Amino acid sequence: MGTPAGTLSPKADPEGGPLAAPAARVALVGVHGFGTHHLRNLERLAAAGEVDLVAVADPQPPAEGSVPPSAAVFPGLAELLAGTQDLDLIIVATPIQTHAPLGLAALTTSADLYLEKPPVASLADFNRLADAAAASGRSVQIGFQSLGSHALGAIGELLAAGTIGTLQGISATGRWVRDKAYYKRSRWAGKRSIDGVDVVDGVATNPLAHAVATALRIAGARTTADVVSVETELYRANSIESDDTSVIRIRTAAGLPITCALTLCAAESVEPYVTLHGSAGTAVFHYTEDRLTVRTAAGTTEETFGRDDLTGNLLAHRRNGERLISPLLDSGAFMLVLEAIRTAPLPAPIDGAYVQWVGDADAAHAVVTGIEEALEQATSRHATFRELGLPWASTAPTAFTLPA
């Protein structure tokens, strides 16, 4: 019997035993921005004999020396696919609005797909991509890197053991700083759409999307069926289309409330965190650091965990069927949140009387008055900014109508 599609067949040993699987032939689409992270990771995996980066695609040529001399360089995915044969894996790390067309094109090949977060910019595109993946039989991994943290397993164990009592709710808090230059770095930055094409580059859907995705995963909300309600309250201090300061309130099918209070207009950047609120304590997960702090009447413990690389996990899935950490369909719950934000009214501008600008020219960044306390109150009380009575909170929360 031949090797099933999508698996790497090991090289034959003259003595009859299997040797290591051949290096997977990989193409990377998007070599700038977050693509540089993939280049470094692929260099590591290549040194271990796991991958061979055979081609890259980007309208802007790669920096000198950033890709192996043996890798072919193309201006786009169409040209790459026309000039490259027998790919095992295609990684897409490009602007949000390109994820759907590039992902769909990749799924017409025999390669598996690694697609950066957010998966796509609308629920309709998500459904199209899911249908294409099912029809092709290819595997799709979504780049929510925080889901590879071993801390998630530890969290599951402490919940099962009742360490913090009964889980009563989950919150995600994000306080980052983004200056004017951040929104000038590309044509799509801070946009809801470009020329009628959805982008949805808001605080919860791109820069702090991991906060939302991690909270959902801990709550056991993976697919679209795992969420029963989403409410949004979206604001902006910057002169952009999308939101930079928002509350998203979610309820899972199991009845668990999740509140995400996020801003890019803090006085200083703080590592984002997800908090589990239990009847007998709390567990706080700083997901960018894989650090878990547990507080109960017995005291406080803190531990830092390792993390599985999502590209390595996808390669292991191809080799021996290891379970994917972040498969496409498990982004369904996140996509409901993105769709709620996409279809919500335009973010309300925050009155300038409550915004301070720190720094000069393009290095200037907005700071919303009292935002740190507002985020803490929102997450601890599962309340929106309007419900907290903040003077700049001018809109009521918008309830999203879930698809039938």
Side-chain angles (χ1 to χ4, degrees), residues 158-170 256 276-282:
L158 75 84
L159 290 175
T163 303
I164 61 170
T166 302
L167 183 60
Q168 299 175 326
I170 295 175
L256 193 69
L276 288 73
H277 305 270
S279 60
T282 61

Side-chain angles (χ1 to χ4, degrees), residues 62-86:
E64 185 175 354
S66 63
V67 303
S70 58
V73 178
F74 299 92
L77 178 59
E79 294 86 351
L80 185 153
L81 295 180
T84 313
Q85 302 298 315
D86 301 323

Side-chain angles (χ1 to χ4, degrees), residues 37-81:
H37 164 83
H38 284 286
L39 284 173
R40 291 191 298 269
N41 194 42
L42 289 169
E43 183 179 14
R44 177 185 66 84
L45 292 168
E50 294 193 51
V51 303
D52 179 12
L53 180 59
V54 298
V56 300
D58 199 301
Q60 180 183 348
E64 185 175 354
S66 63
V67 303
S70 58
V73 178
F74 299 92
L77 178 59
E79 294 86 351
L80 185 153
L81 295 180

Side-chain angles (χ1 to χ4, degrees), residues 94-122:
T94 57
I96 302 167
Q97 70 273 15
T98 67
H99 286 191
L102 293 179
L104 289 169
L107 289 173
T108 64
T109 74
S110 61
D112 289 325
L113 172 64
Y114 183 120
L115 185 60
E116 264 309 325
K117 62 81 185 166
V120 286
S122 72

Side-chain angles (χ1 to χ4, degrees), residues 13-27:
D13 187 306
E15 301 297 325
L19 290 177
R25 289 172 53 82
V26 177

Side-chain angles (χ1 to χ4, degrees), residues 25-370:
R25 289 172 53 82
V26 177
L28 173 63
V29 186
V31 298
H32 302 285
F34 200 75
T36 59
H37 164 83
H38 284 286
L39 284 173
R40 291 191 298 269
N41 194 42
L42 289 169
E43 183 179 14
R44 177 185 66 84
L45 292 168
E50 294 193 51
V51 303
D52 179 12
L53 180 59
V54 298
V56 300
D58 199 301
Q60 180 183 348
E64 185 175 354
S66 63
V67 303
S70 58
V73 178
F74 299 92
L77 178 59
E79 294 86 351
L80 185 153
L81 295 180
T84 313
Q85 302 298 315
D86 301 323
L87 287 171
D88 296 309
L89 174 61
I90 297 172
I91 300 174
V92 174
T94 57
I96 302 167
Q97 70 273 15
T98 67
H99 286 191
L102 293 179
L104 289 169
L107 289 173
T108 64
T109 74
S110 61
D112 289 325
L113 172 64
Y114 183 120
L115 185 60
E116 264 309 325
K117 62 81 185 166
V120 286
S122 72
L123 189 61
D125 279 343
F126 176 77
N127 291 332
R128 278 191 282 271
L129 193 66
D131 289 344
S136 69
R138 312 317 308 165
S139 297
V140 182
Q141 180 98 290
I142 302 301
F144 286 115
Q145 291 85 12
S146 61
L147 302 185
S149 178
H150 299 169
L152 295 183
I155 289 171
E157 292 172 2
L158 75 84
L159 290 175
T163 303
I164 61 170
T166 302
L167 183 60
Q168 299 175 326
I170 295 175
S171 63
T173 308
R175 307 199 313 257
W176 274 358
V177 171
R178 291 295 181 268
D179 59 18
K180 289 183 178 180
Y182 174 80
Y183 292 109
K184 292 182 177 181
R185 75 192 194 283
S186 64
R187 180 169 174 254
W188 57 271
K191 293 293 190 354
R192 281 169 70 99
S193 65
I194 296 178
D195 299 330
V197 178
D198 291 314
V199 179
V200 201
D201 180 33
V203 60
T205 53
N206 192 14
L208 286 166
H210 283 90
V212 180
T214 304
L216 287 166
R217 174 61 64 89
I218 292 172
R222 296 174 180 247
T223 71
T224 54
D226 295 327
V227 171
V228 296
S229 69
V230 181
E231 295 172 277
T232 60
E233 201 175 279
L234 313 178
Y235 297 92
R236 60 173 181 82
N238 286 276
S239 181
I240 56 175
E241 292 180 4
S242 290
D243 54 313
D244 57 34
T245 302
S246 297
V247 170
I248 298 96
R249 189 163 54 191
I250 307 157
R251 186 166 292 274
T252 71
L256 193 69
I258 305 171
T259 300
C260 306
L262 313 167
T263 189
L264 301 178
C265 303
E268 60 180 1
S269 288
V270 174
E271 292 302 322
Y273 52 93
V274 174
T275 304
L276 288 73
H277 305 270
S279 60
T282 61
V284 180
F285 176 38
H286 288 83
Y287 61 83
T288 62
E289 303 173 324
D290 300 305
R291 177 165 56 90
L292 179 64
T293 304
V294 180
R295 296 184 177 91
T296 67
T300 300
T301 63
E302 186 170 283
E303 185 174 356
T304 300
F305 294 83
R307 177 183 291 201
D308 289 331
D309 169 56
L310 295 190
T311 303
N313 170 249
L314 179 51
L315 294 171
H317 174 75
R318 289 175 51 81
R319 282 194 301 267
N320 53 37
E322 185 172 314
R323 183 177 180 180
L324 286 178
I325 289 171
S326 183
L328 175 63
L329 292 182
D330 280 9
S331 292
F334 174 85
M335 285 303 306
L336 286 180
V337 174
L338 184 147
E339 187 73 358
I341 293 169
R342 185 185 75 85
T343 58
L346 289 171
I350 296 174
D351 189 322
Y354 301 98
V355 178
Q356 177 186 5
W357 287 92
V358 178
D360 299 316
D362 285 351
H365 66 92
V367 179
V368 176
T369 302

